[in-house]
Every structure is written in C-alpha cells, then in structure tokens.
Amino acid sequence: MTEAFYVPSGDGVFLPTPHTAGPWTPDAQHFGPPSALLVRALEEVEAPHASQLARVTVEILGPAPLKELSVRAWVERPGRSVEWLVAELSHGERVVARASAWRIATSDTTAVATAEGPALPSPEGLPTSSWPEGWHGGYLDAVEWRRVKGALDAAGPATVWGRQRVALVDGEKPSPLQRLFVLADSGNGISNFLDPREWWFINSELTVHLRRPPLGDWIGVDAATLVGPNGIGTATTTLHDASGPVASGAQALLVRPRQAG
C-alpha cells in the first residue's frame, strides 16, 4: 500500500488510499485528510505579499468516497490586507466539500504577542491510545496516537498527541498547516462519550482559527464534546505544538441513535 493518504494523478486530481478510510465505514473517508487536501490547495493560491491563513472553515457537503477526487482553489475576494479564498473538493460532478478561508497580510507583532498558554507534556514516553471497539482502521491506524489525559476508548474529554505515519500526498512533505488539519477534524472522536456502535455523532463542518503555524510533526488535540437536547452537539478543540496552543477548532455535530437512520 502507498504510504500516503493520496496519490496525485495530475491537474488537481488525487486518488485516495485505504489510509483515508473513516471510522464509521471503510467506504467513506475520515475528513481529516480531505480537510488537509483543501488546505493544501488554499496554500497554493498565489499571494501578492507575505500572508497567512487566519481562519479556515470546511463545509462537509456529503461523504468523501475512496474514489478519484479533484480539488481547485481561487481568490473569491482580493484585498491588500485581507483576502477571502475558496477551495472545492469534488468527485465527478458532485462537490464533496467546500472550504473558505481568510488570508491576512502578516506583520511583526512580536512586541505585543500574548502568551500562548501552557504547553502539553511531551509526547515522547507517553502511552499509546486505542480507539473504541467497533470503529474501522484506515485513518485511525495511519496516525500515531499518544495519550496525555483521558483516553480515546473511554468516555469524556481527552487530550492526545497525534502524528501522521504517512504523507498527505505521495512524494510530498506535508506543510505545518496540512499536518494540523489532518488532526483537527478528530475532536469529536477524541472527546466522544457515546457508544459509536449505538450512536452517530458526525460533524457537518470544521472551523479552525489559527494564530500561527505549528512547529514539528506532533499535533496536540485537547477536545471536549457537549450535546444539547435536540440532536445537536458541538466539539471544541485547542490545537497545540510542543510550545503551546496554536489554534482553536470547533465542529457542529449531528447526534442521533444509529437505529434512527
């Protein structure tokens, strides 16, 4: 098996590998790799000056099949200081996901930068963590997971480190933001408190606000899920590198008994 989530086929077309398969079904992708692929396209949009993605929202418009996907990105609204970018991921004529991003011109604010917050314990030497019974491998096996507090296979909030075992695109080294987005869509799974054999808790979107790109291969995810009385929940995450928090994320969740369809 190719040691990457995607194999490029040219002209913005990519073939997913089994490493992208999600936990609910092996026939659809976990949305971490597609989110990172959309960010890769956004990063390739030419910038007229030094700038950085400040907010990315991925709208999940349907399951991402393990079939050929095409991705494109463009500037929706140009600007000298702030630009709005859009990217689309499609299978044939069907748009699977759409990402929108604000790209902001960078400047030196070192003198007024706020403290990042406490750093997580180093992943080195921490115990590995397994996922709940009944979830499929694929993506979950393509990431190395280290437990900080809580546990992936126990109910409630949890904090973990994750590191890709495979590349995003075959033959490429993933960028810092690509590595972050491979993990950012896992907040609802990391902080689950419902039995996945009995409940759906699937996100319809992912929004990440970024302060700076992460450093290093490990991404820390500190996640918690809250569920309301009407089948709607929210998973919130703080995303870390070794120095401390670098971004915050949130996912809107559909929560429903599996027998309800």
Side-chain angles (χ1 to χ4, degrees), residues 38-45 53 56 73 85-87 99-101 103:
L38 286 162
V39 166
R40 177 182 179 275
L42 292 168
E43 289 183 311
E44 289 186 341
V45 175
L53 296 179
V56 178
L85 311 184
V86 176
S100 63
R103 186 168 66 183

Side-chain angles (χ1 to χ4, degrees), residues 57-75:
T57 294
V58 178
E59 307 287 3
I60 301 172
L61 305 179
L66 271 72
K67 298 180 180 179
E68 199 170 70
L69 299 171
S70 59
V71 62
R72 64 190 187 103
W74 63 93
V75 177

Side-chain angles (χ1 to χ4, degrees), residues 9-260:
S9 298
D11 297 325
V13 177
F14 299 86
L15 182 64
T17 71
H19 291 305
T20 64
W24 300 104
T25 170
D27 299 324
Q29 299 180 52
H30 185 283
F31 243 89
S35 297
L37 197 62
L38 286 162
V39 166
R40 177 182 179 275
L42 292 168
E43 289 183 311
E44 289 186 341
V45 175
E46 185 176 358
H49 40 63
S51 58
Q52 180 181 308
L53 296 179
R55 191 275 284 161
V56 178
T57 294
V58 178
E59 307 287 3
I60 301 172
L61 305 179
L66 271 72
K67 298 180 180 179
E68 199 170 70
L69 299 171
S70 59
V71 62
R72 64 190 187 103
W74 63 93
V75 177
E76 183 72 16
R77 198 220 72 178
R80 288 183 295 178
S81 299
V82 179
E83 297 175 295
W84 184 26
L85 311 184
V86 176
E88 284 186 347
L89 190 68
S90 303
H91 171 59
E93 298 298 317
R94 180 172 70 90
V95 178
V96 171
R98 182 175 293 113
S100 63
W102 288 106
R103 186 168 66 183
I104 296 177
T106 54
S107 59
D108 185 2
T109 52
T110 305
V112 295
T114 53
E116 293 184 333
L120 298 178
S122 169
E124 304 303 329
L126 292 178
T128 59
S129 192
S130 57
W131 286 85
E133 184 179 349
W135 276 7
H136 300 279
Y139 166 84
L140 299 181
D141 294 333
V143 176
E144 181 180 0
W145 304 96
R146 298 287 181 90
R147 178 168 59 86
V148 178
K149 65 179 179 180
L152 304 179
D153 56 357
T159 306
V160 302
W161 287 104
R163 178 171 63 176
Q164 292 173 238
R165 300 182 190 271
V166 302
L168 177 64
V169 174
D170 191 33
E172 294 183 8
K173 182 179 179 179
S175 74
L177 289 189
Q178 291 165 29
R179 287 197 301 271
L180 184 140
F181 274 83
V182 165
L183 273 295
D185 191 64
S186 296
N188 59 323
I190 289 168
S191 61
N192 77 85
F193 64 90
L194 299 170
D195 189 332
R197 295 167 294 186
E198 299 180 9
W199 289 88
W200 299 110
F201 41 96
I202 301 174
N203 61 303
S204 60
E205 58 85 41
L206 166 69
T207 297
V208 176
H209 287 91
L210 303 141
R211 291 185 294 283
R212 64 171 176 83
L215 300 174
D217 293 338
W218 289 95
I219 302 296
V221 185
D222 182 4
T225 292
L226 297 175
V227 175
N230 301 310
I232 298 172
T234 307
T236 58
T237 60
T238 301
L239 299 156
H240 293 249
D241 67 6
S243 297
V246 300
S248 58
Q251 300 161 289
L253 306 179
L254 175 151
V255 183
R256 180 180 297 173
R258 292 189 73 141
Q259 61 268 27

